[in-house]
Amino acid sequence: MAQTYRLAVNQISQTCFFELTWGQGQQLMAQLPYPEQLTVLYQRWQRAYLGYYQSAFGNNEQPMRGRAGVTGQISSKRTDWHSQLVQAEAKFLSEFHRWLRSEPLFPIRRQLGKAATIDPTSPETITLFITCNPIHLSRLPWESWEVSAEFSQHQSICIARLPANIRTAATPPKKHRRKARVLVIIGDETGLDLSGDLQAIETLSTLAEIHQVGWRPGMNVADLGQAICREISDSNGWDMLFFFGHSNEADSVGGEIAIAPNANISMRELGPYLKQAQQNGLQFALFNSCKGLDIADTLVDLGLNQVVVMREPIHNQVAQAFLNQFLRRLVQFDDVHRALQKASQSLRSESTLTYPSAHLIPSLFSHRGAAFFQLQPLGWKARLDPWLPSVRQGVVLGAIALLSITPSIRDWLLSQRLYSQSVYRQVTQQIPTSSTPPILLVQIDDKAVSEIDGFTPYQMNWRYIAQLIDILSSGQSSVIGIDYLFDRRQDENEPILRQSLQNAAEQGIWLVLGSVLSRGEEIGPRSGVTDLAWSMQGYANAPWHYLRPPLTDCQTRCPFAYLAALAQAGGSSLSPSILSTTDLRTQLLNVSSRPTNNPLLQNLSQQHLSALSRLLKQRWLQPILDFSIPADQVYQAISSSELLEPSASLTWKNQIVLIGAGGYGGAGLGDTKDYTEPPPAVVYWHHQRYPAQSTYPPGRFTGTEAHAYAIHHFLERHQVVPIPTLWMVGVASFLGAGSAIVARRHDLSQRQRWLSIILLSAASGLVGLQMHITASVLMPWLLPTATVWLYHLPGFQRIRPKQQ
């Protein structure tokens, strides 16, 4: 809710007392002499004002909207009233502002200026309610006071007038009304032409129901008075009341309006009916007539939220020009203060030569306990409008959407999200436990390559790998995966490697060798290295952060990790044979496609990349590698040099064995390295297990480790599906707009709003962390949360009608 200040200005004898109050009982007081010269200059300005408007527009007998004799008679002697009025206005305003810039008022101006500059980008303005006593102070143009100009270029203080006495609570809006209801009272138009007013009021017809009541020739005045009272107190209620015609100050009866020739009715007489109208929802009134200070005081005292009146006599044409500008802003959903401010500025900037000083005449009186009245939009566009972003919000939302689909940003956010998930698992002790991880990872690391004779960085010695296969074949593992691409010639080592592979196949071991997927085709080992009738090949160039299921089927191309898991699951139904002439992968796929009681095999046979991911070439809904699970629950890692030690006492019973590069320099294909920076979650778990080690050895995360995670997820049926960040940004945009509407509807303070957002953001984060574990769904948090916050940041919000 916007901050409000009240400034009471009271004159006793020749001294004016200023009292500024705000907040929780804070107040400032000042006093300074009232300059008599200000009264003299006001009277000169008033005389020039009346002289100009009574003589400038033809020979109308009564061009001003006040009763005859009320506005005063000005000499008909030929005078340059325009020049006199311009000069009188300048001198009058100069003296008025000089008085307000007096030294005793500096603390008050500084307090208001400080409040105005706290957050100049905020859409919420500061309202200064000014109460004046006696009435000659009320006639001064307080709206022209640029109170914060000496402290800031940003003018965020709106000035409204506040009657000294308000005995009725503000009018609450009628929430059930589809369209606003407007009552137009057409008063006595003697000497006037009100057709312009009636034409202007039709501007509201698209947003409001308009009803008119007024005098017609031959109508009985008593009947007219009863009709007006009856319409005002209509049980259906009104939102706005307009009066066009003559009016006048009358302190003893609260002001009066002319309803017919030579027939007036006072606000005191209308009081009971206006009170009933206020109880039925009447919030705003505009009296497009002369000298309405008493009328405004009376109506706000009765509980109306806002009243716009003319403090001085006003010419018929000026009144219509103001009304047109005011209503034009009102139907654009400006509140009544902004509409009056813009209408007055229009009179000043666009019509100053024709209507000099006219911008000083309108004033807004407001109930302190009410928000400024606004018309509400209608139809589906109106219901949609509060949910649409502002221009600034739209630009930032576009940037957030772009970030959400940028691969590098997306993968970085995923890494950070899994790091948070790891911390959450540790704190809540929701860590999977397994006595023996399902995979033995044999890493050819820096230590191992230092012991290999004739090792070159980009060419692994096949004889060395053959040694590893020979040792691993003597164990009880049924699947051995080799994450190396045997595509180059090693004439002296090729027969040795083939023999080791063939010996393993003769023992019924499933061999899965790495290949490369290039332009939709697999490029695998040389034909002399192995035979696909007793071994299989699977492409190993899979994404680092994502679980790669088959694109469609595995007949022509199949992921390395998926084949290893499938061989482990279906190995009991089929055994490799070196006598076979049929492609082993085809045999395994045929077995897995048959009806089976093996739930794991059945689950794996149904694994495919989603059609949405294939169609849009996005990794939307593609399961991730869940690095929030500690590595020691996924695989047991040993160095290949450790495996070759004669004294090694290792066992790999029922484990899938993976042989791969351990992060030594040169591992990979050309410029594509077989290692990357270790994911933050992997580093976190390493530090939890080995707090004394400062880095993740050897500071690289290998492709074989990523394959181990993938195999683990296939075997454990652990598939965490990420909800696309772009989708969640869209949902968050909806939630952000909705929460902003709720905040405005309930008038939440900035502190309440931000506390609510912080708590909801934290709660959504915790819910997302738990859903990862219990529902295998990964909910992005950072960008969606930023999207929600965007709708509440000062300076990014579009000021809209408050939703009722």
Side-chain angles (χ1 to χ4, degrees), residues 407 410-411 414 542-549 619-625 627 706 710 722:
R410 178 193 60 205
D411 292 343
L414 176 60
W544 284 99
H545 297 281
Y546 293 86
L547 183 65
R548 173 57 70 85
R619 296 197 178 113
W620 289 347
L621 305 180
Q622 182 176 340
I624 62 167
L625 297 182
F627 298 126

Side-chain angles (χ1 to χ4, degrees), residues 738-749 753 792 802:
S739 59
I741 291 172
V742 170
R744 289 196 299 270
R745 180 180 299 168
H746 294 281
D747 287 330
L748 297 183
S749 65
R753 176 180 290 199
H792 297 269
K802 182 181 174 183

Side-chain angles (χ1 to χ4, degrees), residues 4-76:
T4 61
Y5 287 77
R6 181 189 178 186
L7 179 65
V9 185
N10 295 287
Q11 182 178 355
I12 300 177
S13 186
Q14 296 302 311
T15 302
C16 285
F17 296 87
F18 291 76
E19 181 181 6
L20 180 71
T21 57
W22 75 97
Q24 303 297 318
Q26 295 102 312
Q27 65 181 35
L28 285 172
M29 301 189 70
Q31 63 183 58
L32 67 158
Y34 176 80
E36 286 299 328
Q37 180 66 13
L38 185 60
T39 300
V40 173
L41 292 174
Y42 166 75
Q43 291 172 346
R44 290 177 182 173
W45 167 82
Q46 188 183 53
R47 182 176 184 277
Y49 172 81
L50 293 174
Y52 174 78
Y53 281 105
Q54 288 183 349
S55 63
F57 299 98
N59 297 318
N60 289 339
E61 294 182 1
Q62 186 57 252
M64 311 299 282
R65 294 196 174 187
R67 301 304 297 156
V70 171
T71 57
Q73 299 298 320
I74 302 298
S75 171
S76 60

Side-chain angles (χ1 to χ4, degrees), residues 13-317:
S13 186
Q14 296 302 311
T15 302
C16 285
F17 296 87
F18 291 76
E19 181 181 6
L20 180 71
T21 57
W22 75 97
Q24 303 297 318
Q26 295 102 312
Q27 65 181 35
L28 285 172
M29 301 189 70
Q31 63 183 58
L32 67 158
Y34 176 80
E36 286 299 328
Q37 180 66 13
L38 185 60
T39 300
V40 173
L41 292 174
Y42 166 75
Q43 291 172 346
R44 290 177 182 173
W45 167 82
Q46 188 183 53
R47 182 176 184 277
Y49 172 81
L50 293 174
Y52 174 78
Y53 281 105
Q54 288 183 349
S55 63
F57 299 98
N59 297 318
N60 289 339
E61 294 182 1
Q62 186 57 252
M64 311 299 282
R65 294 196 174 187
R67 301 304 297 156
V70 171
T71 57
Q73 299 298 320
I74 302 298
S75 171
S76 60
K77 181 180 178 180
R78 294 181 61 86
T79 305
D80 185 359
W81 288 114
H82 184 277
S83 176
Q84 287 197 17
L85 177 55
V86 171
Q87 295 180 43
E89 177 188 329
K91 293 178 180 179
F92 170 45
L93 292 181
S94 176
E95 177 64 17
F96 180 53
H97 293 150
R98 184 200 63 77
W99 180 53
L100 293 176
R101 287 194 298 270
S102 299
E103 182 63 26
L105 287 184
F106 178 78
I108 289 177
R109 297 196 308 273
R110 181 176 58 186
Q111 175 61 39
L112 294 171
K114 178 182 176 181
T117 56
I118 288 176
D119 187 1
T121 65
S122 174
E124 295 184 343
T125 56
I126 295 168
T127 303
L128 175 63
F129 293 98
I130 297 180
T131 302
C132 298
N133 187 47
I135 194 170
H136 76 86
L137 291 178
S138 295
R139 294 195 174 99
L140 298 177
W142 292 94
E143 291 81 2
S144 68
W145 184 18
E146 296 180 354
V147 63
S148 63
E150 64 184 298
F151 300 97
S152 170
Q153 295 298 318
H154 178 75
Q155 176 71 12
S156 62
I157 297 180
C158 65
I159 295 176
R161 296 178 181 244
L162 184 71
N165 300 308
I166 302 178
R167 288 165 288 193
T168 307
T171 305
K174 289 290 183 180
K175 298 183 179 181
H176 65 276
R177 287 181 184 159
R178 179 180 174 273
K179 297 180 72 173
R181 283 171 50 83
V182 178
L183 176 63
V184 177
I185 301 176
I186 305 168
D188 175 26
E189 57 181 329
T190 301
L192 305 176
D193 180 5
L194 299 181
S195 59
D197 298 70
L198 298 178
Q199 184 178 356
I201 203 69
E202 289 301 316
T203 306
L204 301 176
S205 60
T206 59
L207 298 173
E209 299 175 6
I210 302 173
H211 298 261
Q212 298 180 8
V213 60
W215 179 80
R216 295 186 300 275
M219 192 173 187
N220 182 276
V221 173
D223 293 340
L224 173 61
Q226 292 178 2
I228 292 174
C229 294
R230 185 169 56 250
E231 289 293 337
I232 290 175
S233 60
D234 185 0
S235 60
N236 291 324
W238 308 100
D239 294 284
M240 294 187 286
L241 169 67
F242 289 84
F243 172 78
F244 307 141
H246 295 292
S247 67
N248 191 36
E249 292 175 357
D251 179 60
S252 59
V253 292
E256 61 182 12
I257 59 176
I259 60 173
N262 303 312
N264 297 337
I265 188 170
S266 69
M267 292 297 106
R268 177 174 296 177
E269 293 174 287
L270 292 177
Y273 307 100
L274 289 168
K275 182 63 179 176
Q276 184 64 42
Q278 184 266 341
Q279 294 173 354
N280 290 334
L282 180 61
Q283 301 177 66
F284 171 74
L286 185 149
F287 283 74
N288 206 22
S289 56
C290 290
K291 307 187 75 172
L293 288 174
D294 290 335
I295 294 174
D297 282 345
T298 301
L299 293 181
V300 176
D301 185 26
L302 287 172
L304 267 68
N305 293 352
Q306 284 89 38
V307 180
V308 170
V309 296
M310 309 299 163
R311 300 189 318 278
E312 302 285 346
I314 187 166
H315 192 278
N316 186 66
Q317 291 185 26

Side-chain angles (χ1 to χ4, degrees), residues 448-469:
V449 299
S450 67
E451 300 171 353
I452 300 175
D453 294 333
F455 171 77
T456 58
Y458 298 101
Q459 182 68 29
M460 176 52 61
N461 190 310
W462 293 358
R463 184 190 298 269
Y464 185 80
I465 294 179
Q467 288 181 275
L468 299 178
I469 295 172

Side-chain angles (χ1 to χ4, degrees), residues 486-690:
F486 302 111
D487 61 333
R488 301 180 183 179
R489 296 183 61 176
Q490 286 191 26
D491 294 338
E492 71 282 6
N493 294 328
E494 184 174 304
I496 298 173
L497 176 59
R498 180 182 176 92
Q499 187 60 51
S500 295
L501 292 172
Q502 186 170 329
N503 292 340
E506 287 178 343
Q507 299 178 50
I509 296 176
W510 291 83
L511 298 170
V512 183
L513 279 65
S515 65
V516 173
L517 184 64
S518 177
R519 297 180 180 178
E521 295 184 1
E522 280 185 320
I523 301 174
R526 293 171 54 82
S527 59
V529 172
T530 187
D531 191 325
L532 295 183
W534 46 263
S535 66
M536 300 184 294
Q537 68 179 31
Y539 59 86
N541 52 332
W544 284 99
H545 297 281
Y546 293 86
L547 183 65
R548 173 57 70 85
L551 294 174
T552 51
D553 61 64
C554 273
Q555 295 291 344
T556 58
R557 50 189 178 177
C558 204
F560 175 84
Y562 176 79
L563 268 184
L566 190 65
Q568 179 80 342
S572 59
S573 303
L574 178 68
S575 181
S577 172
I578 62 172
L579 301 178
S580 174
T581 58
T582 305
D583 185 272
L584 182 60
R585 185 167 71 183
T586 301
Q587 297 179 57
L588 179 60
L589 293 173
N590 291 336
V591 169
S592 64
S593 64
R594 299 168 188 165
T596 177
N597 294 325
N598 185 337
L600 174 59
L601 185 61
Q602 184 177 11
N603 177 267
L604 287 172
S605 67
Q606 297 171 354
Q607 293 290 319
H608 297 293
L609 190 65
S610 70
L612 185 64
S613 297
R614 295 197 304 271
L615 177 65
L616 301 179
K617 297 183 179 180
Q618 287 283 337
R619 296 197 178 113
W620 289 347
L621 305 180
Q622 182 176 340
I624 62 167
L625 297 182
D626 187 6
F627 298 126
S628 72
I629 297 177
D632 58 13
Q633 297 298 314
V634 174
Y635 57 81
Q636 174 188 358
I638 63 171
S639 171
S640 59
S641 61
E642 182 181 351
L643 181 67
L644 294 175
E645 290 179 1
S647 60
S649 58
L650 301 171
T651 179
W652 46 90
K653 182 178 180 180
N654 298 326
Q655 289 179 298
I656 294 178
V657 179
L658 288 185
I659 302 173
Y664 59 84
L669 293 174
D671 294 334
T672 304
K673 302 301 182 184
D674 190 47
Y675 50 80
T676 185
E677 291 291 326
V682 173
V683 175
Y684 173 80
W685 285 120
H686 179 78
H687 288 163
Q688 294 299 310
R689 299 295 192 262
Y690 310 103

